[in-house]
Amino acid sequence: MSPQAPCVCFVFLEIFTCEGGIQSYVKDVFRAYLAQPDAPPAEVLLLRDAPDCENPFEGSALKFRYLATSNANLGRLRLAAILASQLLRGRYHRVICGHARLGPLIAPLCQRLGVPYTVMTYGKEVWAPLPARQQQALQQADHLWTISRYSRDVACEANDLEPDKMALLPCIVDGDVFTPGERSPQLLDQYDLSHSRVLMTVARLWSGDIYKGVDVTIRALPAIAQTFADVKYLVIGRGDDQPRLAQLAQDLGVANRVVFAGFVPNEALVAHYRLADAYVMPSQEGFGIVYLEAMACGIPVLSGDADGSADPVQDGRVGWRVPHRDPEAVAAACIEILTGDDLRCDGAWLRQETLAHFSQTRLQQRLRSLLSPAS
């Protein structure tokens, strides 16, 4: 690649030094970008990642610059200096800003030098009115990308954004990784689930994330147990809210039905999904990749009814949607799922319908459209 060849610049806070839904999604976007047959060269500036991070894309057509410093302000100055220098040299012909927080730094430089910029948004970070400079950077962007219709609508209303500027670039699932399969006898023994119907949630158990609905599902267990006496609830994740949740289960007399598995690494998640009879997360998500992962494994899902999960569950066509803080509604839906008479419980059909809409191929096609000059 010629040193002066114009290229796309991606700018992110951090991708490789922590794990989360945004980081997983961005890695899928990188894969989709690399799969484009005629994509321009690209550089990626990473504000908080260091050179020693584990980056599976090293050696690819993406060129990475790591800007982590012990002083946050110094890191932002370094980022601004590199961006300004490369823009002045004509190196970047388009900048894709990976977080609204970076907008106030990127927008003035791009506007001054006449380079179009796009801001990627995800969920809760843009659901409330942003500080003035962040809001202005979004309003003045040439394009905005987001992951779901719900996030688009809420962000536009909260921050006075133009819906016509907001394009959808949804999350996807790797159907080669997340597949149906037999339950692991080892895991069944480890969690004492061998003779149980299993509800499951994968979520951070942080006190600031009670919207995930683990407590609501625990409150629903007594009613579910009246119909299915063998029901248990497998909770995967860790965080400071676990003691409260454990005490809630104890207070409701269902402590013997709730299994806190703690942290499970990504490579072990598929085997854990396969333990479940239903994936239950009555939440408020920007999208909810976990629903796709469960359905790709052939597991029926339950989500909230007023969030971005409307997209992965296709407005209820492939999953159950309930008021996210309503234990009675969660219990009724779980009983329906465990009864198994609904098409939405057909694992093969669930997988087929999920991959038809949310595969890597579909993401590649969508990204190609958004990167085309006509867009």
Short mmCIF file of all heavy atoms in Angstrom, two decimals, residues 71-128:
data_model
loop_
_atom_site.label_atom_id
_atom_site.label_comp_id
_atom_site.label_asym_id
_atom_site.label_seq_id
_atom_site.Cartn_x
_atom_site.Cartn_y
_atom_site.Cartn_z
N ASN A 71 -2.11 8.70 30.82
CA ASN A 71 -2.83 9.97 30.97
C ASN A 71 -3.88 10.07 29.86
O ASN A 71 -3.54 10.12 28.68
CB ASN A 71 -1.84 11.14 30.88
CG ASN A 71 -2.51 12.48 31.13
OD1 ASN A 71 -3.41 12.87 30.39
ND2 ASN A 71 -2.06 13.18 32.16
N ALA A 72 -5.15 10.08 30.25
CA ALA A 72 -6.24 10.08 29.26
C ALA A 72 -6.19 11.29 28.35
O ALA A 72 -6.41 11.19 27.13
CB ALA A 72 -7.59 10.01 29.98
N ASN A 73 -5.90 12.47 28.91
CA ASN A 73 -5.84 13.68 28.09
C ASN A 73 -4.71 13.62 27.07
O ASN A 73 -4.86 14.06 25.93
CB ASN A 73 -5.68 14.92 28.98
CG ASN A 73 -6.94 15.23 29.77
OD1 ASN A 73 -8.05 14.93 29.32
ND2 ASN A 73 -6.78 15.80 30.96
N LEU A 74 -3.58 13.04 27.48
CA LEU A 74 -2.47 12.90 26.56
C LEU A 74 -2.85 11.97 25.41
O LEU A 74 -2.50 12.22 24.25
CB LEU A 74 -1.25 12.36 27.29
CG LEU A 74 0.00 12.09 26.43
CD1 LEU A 74 0.46 13.38 25.74
CD2 LEU A 74 1.13 11.50 27.28
N GLY A 75 -3.59 10.91 25.72
CA GLY A 75 -4.03 10.00 24.68
C GLY A 75 -4.90 10.68 23.65
O GLY A 75 -4.75 10.47 22.44
N ARG A 76 -5.81 11.53 24.13
CA ARG A 76 -6.69 12.24 23.20
C ARG A 76 -5.90 13.24 22.36
O ARG A 76 -6.19 13.45 21.18
CB ARG A 76 -7.82 12.92 23.97
CG ARG A 76 -8.77 11.94 24.65
CD ARG A 76 -9.86 12.66 25.42
NE ARG A 76 -10.85 13.25 24.55
CZ ARG A 76 -11.92 12.62 24.08
NH1 ARG A 76 -12.13 11.35 24.40
NH2 ARG A 76 -12.79 13.22 23.30
N LEU A 77 -4.88 13.89 22.97
CA LEU A 77 -4.04 14.81 22.20
C LEU A 77 -3.28 14.06 21.11
O LEU A 77 -3.15 14.55 19.98
CB LEU A 77 -3.07 15.53 23.13
CG LEU A 77 -3.65 16.65 23.99
CD1 LEU A 77 -2.61 17.16 24.99
CD2 LEU A 77 -4.14 17.81 23.10
N ARG A 78 -2.75 12.90 21.44
CA ARG A 78 -2.04 12.09 20.44
C ARG A 78 -2.98 11.71 19.31
O ARG A 78 -2.61 11.77 18.13
CB ARG A 78 -1.47 10.83 21.08
CG ARG A 78 -0.28 11.06 21.99
CD ARG A 78 0.23 9.73 22.54
NE ARG A 78 0.71 8.87 21.45
CZ ARG A 78 0.91 7.56 21.58
NH1 ARG A 78 0.63 6.95 22.74
NH2 ARG A 78 1.37 6.86 20.57
N LEU A 79 -4.20 11.30 19.67
CA LEU A 79 -5.18 10.93 18.65
C LEU A 79 -5.48 12.12 17.74
O LEU A 79 -5.49 12.00 16.51
CB LEU A 79 -6.46 10.42 19.32
CG LEU A 79 -7.66 10.16 18.40
CD1 LEU A 79 -7.31 9.12 17.34
CD2 LEU A 79 -8.86 9.69 19.22
N ALA A 80 -5.72 13.28 18.34
CA ALA A 80 -6.04 14.47 17.55
C ALA A 80 -4.88 14.84 16.63
O ALA A 80 -5.08 15.23 15.46
CB ALA A 80 -6.38 15.64 18.48
N ALA A 81 -3.64 14.72 17.14
CA ALA A 81 -2.47 15.08 16.34
C ALA A 81 -2.32 14.16 15.14
O ALA A 81 -2.05 14.61 14.01
CB ALA A 81 -1.22 15.04 17.21
N ILE A 82 -2.48 12.87 15.35
CA ILE A 82 -2.37 11.91 14.24
C ILE A 82 -3.47 12.15 13.22
O ILE A 82 -3.23 12.18 12.01
CB ILE A 82 -2.41 10.47 14.78
CG1 ILE A 82 -1.14 10.16 15.57
CG2 ILE A 82 -2.59 9.47 13.64
CD1 ILE A 82 -1.19 8.83 16.29
N LEU A 83 -4.67 12.32 13.70
CA LEU A 83 -5.80 12.52 12.80
C LEU A 83 -5.62 13.79 11.98
O LEU A 83 -5.79 13.79 10.75
CB LEU A 83 -7.10 12.58 13.61
CG LEU A 83 -8.41 12.61 12.81
CD1 LEU A 83 -8.54 11.38 11.94
CD2 LEU A 83 -9.60 12.71 13.76
N ALA A 84 -5.23 14.89 12.65
CA ALA A 84 -5.03 16.15 11.93
C ALA A 84 -3.93 16.02 10.89
O ALA A 84 -4.07 16.47 9.75
CB ALA A 84 -4.70 17.26 12.92
N SER A 85 -2.83 15.38 11.26
CA SER A 85 -1.70 15.22 10.34
C SER A 85 -2.11 14.42 9.10
O SER A 85 -1.80 14.81 7.96
CB SER A 85 -0.55 14.53 11.07
OG SER A 85 0.48 14.19 10.17
N GLN A 86 -2.81 13.34 9.32
CA GLN A 86 -3.18 12.48 8.20
C GLN A 86 -4.25 13.13 7.32
O GLN A 86 -4.25 12.97 6.10
CB GLN A 86 -3.67 11.12 8.71
CG GLN A 86 -2.63 10.33 9.48
CD GLN A 86 -1.47 9.88 8.60
OE1 GLN A 86 -0.67 10.68 8.11
NE2 GLN A 86 -1.40 8.58 8.37
N LEU A 87 -5.15 13.87 7.93
CA LEU A 87 -6.15 14.59 7.14
C LEU A 87 -5.51 15.67 6.28
O LEU A 87 -5.86 15.86 5.12
CB LEU A 87 -7.21 15.20 8.07
CG LEU A 87 -8.19 14.22 8.74
CD1 LEU A 87 -9.03 14.94 9.79
CD2 LEU A 87 -9.10 13.56 7.70
N LEU A 88 -4.55 16.39 6.86
CA LEU A 88 -3.85 17.44 6.11
C LEU A 88 -3.08 16.86 4.93
O LEU A 88 -2.97 17.50 3.87
CB LEU A 88 -2.91 18.21 7.03
CG LEU A 88 -3.57 19.22 7.98
CD1 LEU A 88 -2.58 19.66 9.06
CD2 LEU A 88 -4.09 20.41 7.19
N ARG A 89 -2.55 15.66 5.07
CA ARG A 89 -1.80 15.02 4.00
C ARG A 89 -2.72 14.39 2.95
O ARG A 89 -2.25 13.88 1.94
CB ARG A 89 -0.91 13.91 4.58
CG ARG A 89 0.23 14.41 5.46
CD ARG A 89 0.90 13.23 6.16
NE ARG A 89 1.35 12.24 5.18
CZ ARG A 89 1.45 10.93 5.44
NH1 ARG A 89 1.10 10.47 6.63
NH2 ARG A 89 1.89 10.10 4.51
N GLY A 90 -4.03 14.44 3.21
CA GLY A 90 -4.96 13.81 2.29
C GLY A 90 -5.00 12.30 2.40
O GLY A 90 -5.47 11.60 1.51
N ARG A 91 -4.49 11.79 3.53
CA ARG A 91 -4.41 10.35 3.73
C ARG A 91 -5.78 9.72 3.91
O ARG A 91 -6.05 8.63 3.40
CB ARG A 91 -3.53 10.08 4.96
CG ARG A 91 -3.45 8.65 5.41
CD ARG A 91 -2.70 7.80 4.43
NE ARG A 91 -2.36 6.51 5.00
CZ ARG A 91 -2.17 5.42 4.29
NH1 ARG A 91 -2.30 5.46 2.98
NH2 ARG A 91 -1.86 4.28 4.87
N TYR A 92 -6.67 10.39 4.66
CA TYR A 92 -7.99 9.85 4.94
C TYR A 92 -9.03 10.57 4.09
O TYR A 92 -9.14 11.80 4.15
CB TYR A 92 -8.35 10.02 6.41
CG TYR A 92 -7.39 9.37 7.38
CD1 TYR A 92 -7.18 9.92 8.65
CD2 TYR A 92 -6.70 8.21 7.07
CE1 TYR A 92 -6.31 9.32 9.57
CE2 TYR A 92 -5.83 7.60 7.98
CZ TYR A 92 -5.64 8.17 9.21
OH TYR A 92 -4.78 7.59 10.12
N HIS A 93 -9.79 9.81 3.33
CA HIS A 93 -10.87 10.44 2.56
C HIS A 93 -12.23 10.24 3.21
O HIS A 93 -13.22 10.78 2.75
CB HIS A 93 -10.88 9.91 1.12
CG HIS A 93 -11.28 8.46 0.99
ND1 HIS A 93 -12.58 8.05 0.96
CD2 HIS A 93 -10.52 7.33 0.89
CE1 HIS A 93 -12.64 6.74 0.84
NE2 HIS A 93 -11.40 6.28 0.80
N ARG A 94 -12.27 9.45 4.29
CA ARG A 94 -13.51 9.26 5.04
C ARG A 94 -13.13 8.80 6.44
O ARG A 94 -12.25 7.95 6.59
CB ARG A 94 -14.39 8.22 4.36
CG ARG A 94 -15.73 7.97 5.07
CD ARG A 94 -16.62 7.09 4.22
NE ARG A 94 -17.94 6.93 4.80
CZ ARG A 94 -18.95 6.32 4.19
NH1 ARG A 94 -18.79 5.81 2.99
NH2 ARG A 94 -20.13 6.22 4.80
N VAL A 95 -13.78 9.35 7.45
CA VAL A 95 -13.51 8.97 8.84
C VAL A 95 -14.78 8.36 9.43
O VAL A 95 -15.87 8.94 9.31
CB VAL A 95 -13.05 10.17 9.68
CG1 VAL A 95 -12.89 9.78 11.15
CG2 VAL A 95 -11.74 10.74 9.14
N ILE A 96 -14.64 7.19 10.06
CA ILE A 96 -15.76 6.54 10.72
C ILE A 96 -15.46 6.55 12.21
O ILE A 96 -14.54 5.88 12.69
CB ILE A 96 -15.96 5.11 10.19
CG1 ILE A 96 -16.29 5.17 8.70
CG2 ILE A 96 -17.07 4.40 10.97
CD1 ILE A 96 -16.41 3.83 8.02
N CYS A 97 -16.23 7.35 12.93
CA CYS A 97 -16.05 7.56 14.37
C CYS A 97 -16.82 6.48 15.12
O CYS A 97 -18.05 6.36 14.98
CB CYS A 97 -16.57 8.95 14.73
SG CYS A 97 -16.65 9.30 16.49
N GLY A 98 -16.11 5.70 15.93
CA GLY A 98 -16.70 4.53 16.55
C GLY A 98 -17.46 4.75 17.84
O GLY A 98 -17.97 3.79 18.41
N HIS A 99 -17.56 5.99 18.30
CA HIS A 99 -18.34 6.25 19.53
C HIS A 99 -18.68 7.73 19.60
O HIS A 99 -17.88 8.58 19.21
CB HIS A 99 -17.54 5.84 20.77
CG HIS A 99 -18.40 5.58 21.97
ND1 HIS A 99 -18.98 6.61 22.71
CD2 HIS A 99 -18.80 4.42 22.56
CE1 HIS A 99 -19.68 6.09 23.69
NE2 HIS A 99 -19.59 4.76 23.63
N ALA A 100 -19.88 8.02 20.13
CA ALA A 100 -20.33 9.41 20.24
C ALA A 100 -19.38 10.26 21.08
O ALA A 100 -19.23 11.46 20.84
CB ALA A 100 -21.74 9.45 20.83
N ARG A 101 -18.70 9.64 22.06
CA ARG A 101 -17.78 10.41 22.91
C ARG A 101 -16.61 10.98 22.12
O ARG A 101 -15.99 11.97 22.53
CB ARG A 101 -17.23 9.52 24.02
CG ARG A 101 -18.24 9.11 25.07
CD ARG A 101 -17.55 8.28 26.14
NE ARG A 101 -18.49 7.58 26.99
CZ ARG A 101 -18.13 6.65 27.85
NH1 ARG A 101 -16.86 6.29 27.96
NH2 ARG A 101 -19.04 6.05 28.61
N LEU A 102 -16.27 10.34 21.02
CA LEU A 102 -15.16 10.82 20.19
C LEU A 102 -15.59 11.89 19.21
O LEU A 102 -14.74 12.51 18.56
CB LEU A 102 -14.55 9.63 19.43
CG LEU A 102 -13.84 8.58 20.28
CD1 LEU A 102 -13.55 7.33 19.45
CD2 LEU A 102 -12.56 9.15 20.87
N GLY A 103 -16.88 12.11 19.09
CA GLY A 103 -17.38 13.06 18.11
C GLY A 103 -16.82 14.47 18.26
O GLY A 103 -16.39 15.08 17.27
N PRO A 104 -16.77 15.05 19.47
CA PRO A 104 -16.25 16.41 19.62
C PRO A 104 -14.79 16.56 19.20
O PRO A 104 -14.35 17.66 18.86
CB PRO A 104 -16.43 16.69 21.12
CG PRO A 104 -17.55 15.81 21.53
CD PRO A 104 -17.37 14.55 20.73
N LEU A 105 -14.04 15.49 19.23
CA LEU A 105 -12.65 15.55 18.80
C LEU A 105 -12.54 15.42 17.28
O LEU A 105 -11.77 16.13 16.63
CB LEU A 105 -11.86 14.42 19.49
CG LEU A 105 -10.34 14.36 19.27
CD1 LEU A 105 -9.68 13.69 20.46
CD2 LEU A 105 -10.00 13.59 18.00
N ILE A 106 -13.33 14.54 16.70
CA ILE A 106 -13.22 14.23 15.28
C ILE A 106 -13.94 15.24 14.40
O ILE A 106 -13.43 15.64 13.34
CB ILE A 106 -13.75 12.80 15.03
CG1 ILE A 106 -12.79 11.78 15.65
CG2 ILE A 106 -13.96 12.51 13.55
CD1 ILE A 106 -13.31 10.37 15.67
N ALA A 107 -15.13 15.67 14.83
CA ALA A 107 -15.97 16.51 13.96
C ALA A 107 -15.28 17.80 13.52
O ALA A 107 -15.28 18.12 12.32
CB ALA A 107 -17.29 16.81 14.67
N PRO A 108 -14.68 18.60 14.42
CA PRO A 108 -14.08 19.87 13.98
C PRO A 108 -12.96 19.67 12.96
O PRO A 108 -12.84 20.44 12.00
CB PRO A 108 -13.54 20.49 15.27
CG PRO A 108 -14.30 19.82 16.37
CD PRO A 108 -14.57 18.44 15.89
N LEU A 109 -12.13 18.65 13.15
CA LEU A 109 -11.04 18.40 12.22
C LEU A 109 -11.57 18.01 10.84
O LEU A 109 -11.09 18.52 9.81
CB LEU A 109 -10.14 17.28 12.76
CG LEU A 109 -9.35 17.62 14.04
CD1 LEU A 109 -8.67 16.36 14.58
CD2 LEU A 109 -8.32 18.71 13.76
N CYS A 110 -12.55 17.12 10.81
CA CYS A 110 -13.10 16.69 9.53
C CYS A 110 -13.82 17.83 8.82
O CYS A 110 -13.67 18.02 7.61
CB CYS A 110 -14.06 15.51 9.74
SG CYS A 110 -13.23 13.97 10.17
N GLN A 111 -14.57 18.62 9.58
CA GLN A 111 -15.31 19.72 8.96
C GLN A 111 -14.36 20.78 8.41
O GLN A 111 -14.57 21.29 7.30
CB GLN A 111 -16.27 20.34 9.99
CG GLN A 111 -17.43 19.42 10.34
CD GLN A 111 -18.28 19.97 11.47
OE1 GLN A 111 -17.76 20.58 12.40
NE2 GLN A 111 -19.57 19.77 11.40
N ARG A 112 -13.33 21.09 9.16
CA ARG A 112 -12.39 22.13 8.72
C ARG A 112 -11.68 21.73 7.43
O ARG A 112 -11.38 22.57 6.58
CB ARG A 112 -11.37 22.40 9.82
CG ARG A 112 -10.42 23.55 9.52
CD ARG A 112 -9.69 23.98 10.78
NE ARG A 112 -10.62 24.45 11.80
CZ ARG A 112 -10.26 24.81 13.02
NH1 ARG A 112 -8.98 24.75 13.38
NH2 ARG A 112 -11.16 25.23 13.90
N LEU A 113 -11.41 20.44 7.28
CA LEU A 113 -10.66 19.96 6.12
C LEU A 113 -11.55 19.32 5.06
O LEU A 113 -11.05 18.75 4.09
CB LEU A 113 -9.59 18.98 6.59
CG LEU A 113 -8.54 19.61 7.50
CD1 LEU A 113 -7.66 18.56 8.14
CD2 LEU A 113 -7.69 20.61 6.71
N GLY A 114 -12.85 19.42 5.24
CA GLY A 114 -13.78 18.96 4.21
C GLY A 114 -13.81 17.46 4.00
O GLY A 114 -14.07 16.99 2.89
N VAL A 115 -13.56 16.70 5.07
CA VAL A 115 -13.58 15.24 4.96
C VAL A 115 -14.87 14.72 5.62
O VAL A 115 -15.15 15.03 6.78
CB VAL A 115 -12.35 14.62 5.66
CG1 VAL A 115 -12.44 13.09 5.64
CG2 VAL A 115 -11.08 15.09 4.97
N PRO A 116 -15.66 13.94 4.90
CA PRO A 116 -16.91 13.43 5.49
C PRO A 116 -16.64 12.46 6.64
O PRO A 116 -15.66 11.71 6.61
CB PRO A 116 -17.60 12.71 4.32
CG PRO A 116 -16.49 12.38 3.38
CD PRO A 116 -15.47 13.46 3.52
N TYR A 117 -17.51 12.50 7.65
CA TYR A 117 -17.36 11.57 8.76
C TYR A 117 -18.70 10.94 9.12
O TYR A 117 -19.76 11.55 8.96
CB TYR A 117 -16.71 12.24 9.98
CG TYR A 117 -17.58 13.23 10.73
CD1 TYR A 117 -18.31 12.85 11.85
CD2 TYR A 117 -17.65 14.56 10.32
CE1 TYR A 117 -19.09 13.76 12.55
CE2 TYR A 117 -18.43 15.49 11.02
CZ TYR A 117 -19.15 15.07 12.14
OH TYR A 117 -19.93 15.98 12.82
N THR A 118 -18.61 9.72 9.58
CA THR A 118 -19.75 8.93 10.02
C THR A 118 -19.57 8.61 11.50
O THR A 118 -18.45 8.35 11.94
CB THR A 118 -19.82 7.61 9.23
OG1 THR A 118 -20.02 7.89 7.84
CG2 THR A 118 -20.95 6.71 9.73
N VAL A 119 -20.65 8.63 12.28
CA VAL A 119 -20.58 8.23 13.68
C VAL A 119 -21.39 6.94 13.87
O VAL A 119 -22.55 6.87 13.47
CB VAL A 119 -21.12 9.33 14.62
CG1 VAL A 119 -20.99 8.88 16.08
CG2 VAL A 119 -20.39 10.64 14.40
N MET A 120 -20.74 5.95 14.49
CA MET A 120 -21.43 4.70 14.82
C MET A 120 -22.06 4.82 16.21
O MET A 120 -21.42 5.29 17.15
CB MET A 120 -20.44 3.54 14.80
CG MET A 120 -19.81 3.28 13.45
SD MET A 120 -18.53 1.98 13.47
CE MET A 120 -19.53 0.53 13.83
N THR A 121 -23.31 4.41 16.33
CA THR A 121 -23.99 4.39 17.62
C THR A 121 -24.53 2.98 17.87
O THR A 121 -24.68 2.19 16.95
CB THR A 121 -25.14 5.41 17.67
OG1 THR A 121 -26.18 5.00 16.77
CG2 THR A 121 -24.66 6.80 17.28
N TYR A 122 -24.86 2.71 19.13
CA TYR A 122 -25.18 1.34 19.50
C TYR A 122 -26.49 1.25 20.30
O TYR A 122 -27.43 0.61 19.86
CB TYR A 122 -24.03 0.74 20.31
CG TYR A 122 -22.69 0.95 19.62
CD1 TYR A 122 -21.86 2.03 19.96
CD2 TYR A 122 -22.27 0.10 18.61
CE1 TYR A 122 -20.66 2.24 19.32
CE2 TYR A 122 -21.06 0.31 17.95
CZ TYR A 122 -20.26 1.38 18.31
OH TYR A 122 -19.07 1.60 17.66
N GLY A 123 -26.53 1.90 21.45
CA GLY A 123 -27.70 1.76 22.30
C GLY A 123 -27.79 2.87 23.32
O GLY A 123 -27.90 4.05 22.97
N LYS A 124 -27.68 2.51 24.58
CA LYS A 124 -27.97 3.44 25.66
C LYS A 124 -27.09 4.68 25.66
O LYS A 124 -27.48 5.71 26.22
CB LYS A 124 -27.83 2.72 27.01
CG LYS A 124 -28.97 1.75 27.30
CD LYS A 124 -28.84 1.14 28.67
CE LYS A 124 -30.05 0.29 29.01
NZ LYS A 124 -31.28 1.07 29.20
N GLU A 125 -25.92 4.62 25.02
CA GLU A 125 -25.04 5.80 25.05
C GLU A 125 -25.64 6.99 24.31
O GLU A 125 -25.19 8.12 24.49
CB GLU A 125 -23.65 5.43 24.49
CG GLU A 125 -23.47 5.57 22.99
CD GLU A 125 -24.09 4.44 22.18
OE1 GLU A 125 -24.70 3.53 22.78
OE2 GLU A 125 -23.97 4.45 20.94
N VAL A 126 -26.68 6.77 23.49
CA VAL A 126 -27.31 7.88 22.76
C VAL A 126 -28.81 7.94 23.00
O VAL A 126 -29.53 8.63 22.28
CB VAL A 126 -27.02 7.78 21.24
CG1 VAL A 126 -25.56 8.05 20.94
CG2 VAL A 126 -27.43 6.41 20.68
N TRP A 127 -29.30 7.25 24.03
CA TRP A 127 -30.74 7.23 24.27
C TRP A 127 -31.23 8.42 25.10
O TRP A 127 -32.43 8.65 25.20
CB TRP A 127 -31.13 5.94 24.99
CG TRP A 127 -31.10 4.74 24.09
CD1 TRP A 127 -30.78 4.71 22.77
CD2 TRP A 127 -31.39 3.39 24.47
NE1 TRP A 127 -30.85 3.42 22.29
CE2 TRP A 127 -31.22 2.59 23.31
CE3 TRP A 127 -31.77 2.78 25.66
CZ2 TRP A 127 -31.43 1.21 23.31
CZ3 TRP A 127 -31.97 1.41 25.67
CH2 TRP A 127 -31.81 0.64 24.51
N ALA A 128 -30.33 9.15 25.70
CA ALA A 128 -30.69 10.35 26.48
C ALA A 128 -29.97 11.54 25.84
O ALA A 128 -29.01 11.38 25.09
CB ALA A 128 -30.28 10.19 27.93
#
